[in-house]
Amino acid sequence: MKIHRIKALIIRHLYLYQRSLPRLMDIFFWPILELMLWGFLSVYLQKMNMGKINVVTVLLGAIIFWDLLSQSQRAISTSFLEDVWEKNFINVFVTPLKISEFLASTVVLGFIRIFMVAIVMSLIAFFLYQFSILYFGFHLILFGLNLLLFGWALGLFTTGIILRYGTSAQVLAFGFIFLIQPFSAVFYPVSALPKSVQFISNLLPSTHVFEGMRAVIATGNFPTSELLWALLLNMFYLTLVLWFFYRMFARVKIKGTMMKLD
């Protein structure tokens, strides 16, 4: 793995963001709009005097954490799709570029995107709703890391499917993550789900992150078991998805269907 190749891919994508309003809107406008929508709703619910539940903290924390997951997934998928849309995918892999270097560049690019989104959303949440993301302290890093890992796993999975079935499956890059949102217990506890669905919910690392977040808010204690479950599930899914992605990439090369992506 060569660092200069990874750096070149990262710089190439960052140059695109400078002159692309849709790309900038994906990073800033839509997350901010979602934060403001749910933020004003949470303030309204808080004014309804719902007991000791800190609605603002629960909802805004969930929104920011969910957007971290969403952005990490899209960073993987869209960086791949941009080469397909620009008919540049074959040109990239004609070079000595390795798959590992391509994936490493998308991971770093994802970090950059998420860092920018987290700063902007945190500032807006603080000035509009007096909510500080630092409320979670060191737990924020542990929760956020697990969401990033799961987002990367989802991004690799959707990218592998697009490799296999072509651009007709590209809608998964933007919609797949919303299929797991109802089961991730983002805005409500797992106990609110039907018994038959709770088993599926507990198989998702994101569920354990959001359950852990609510436990910190409710008790002030760090739920170690939730963190361990999230980490173990992430390691399992990342291993499985990496195997799947490499298998799909090898398949399209053997069958010669890579040209169809362009």
Side-chain angles (χ1 to χ4, degrees), residues 73-82 154-156 158-159 162 173:
Q73 181 263 321
R74 289 206 301 273
I76 299 289
S77 301
T78 57
S79 62
F80 166 77
L81 281 172
E82 281 173 349
L154 293 174
L156 285 174
T158 54
T159 302
I162 296 169

Side-chain angles (χ1 to χ4, degrees), residues 78-95:
T78 57
S79 62
F80 166 77
L81 281 172
E82 281 173 349
D83 283 318
V84 174
W85 294 330
E86 300 296 331
K87 300 186 182 302
N88 194 47
F89 187 73
I90 299 298
N91 296 334
V92 169
F93 283 100
V94 164
T95 68

Side-chain angles (χ1 to χ4, degrees), residues 22-68:
R23 290 182 176 92
L24 292 175
M25 288 180 66
D26 187 47
I27 296 178
F28 297 112
F29 179 75
W30 299 117
I32 291 172
L33 185 65
E34 184 180 30
L35 176 66
M36 294 181 68
L37 174 65
W38 285 92
F40 288 125
L41 174 62
S42 62
V43 170
Y44 169 71
L45 293 175
Q46 186 72 22
K47 290 179 179 179
M48 292 176 64
N49 192 18
M50 299 178 64
K52 297 181 179 180
I53 300 176
N54 193 329
V55 179
V56 174
T57 302
V58 172
L59 285 181
L60 292 187
I63 292 163
I64 292 175
F65 276 105
W66 174 257
D67 210 71
L68 292 180

Side-chain angles (χ1 to χ4, degrees), residues 244-257:
F244 172 75
F245 181 84
Y246 273 89
R247 185 175 177 84
M248 291 299 101
F249 192 84
R251 183 185 179 92
V252 297
K253 285 201 302 182
I254 292 172
K255 286 186 169 290
T257 56

Side-chain angles (χ1 to χ4, degrees), residues 4 30 32 66 81 111 118 130 161 192 195-196 212 215 225 244 250 262:
H4 68 274
W30 299 117
I32 291 172
W66 174 257
L81 281 172
F111 263 122
Q130 290 74 54
I161 293 178
K195 292 288 185 182
S196 57
S225 61
F244 172 75
D262 284 345

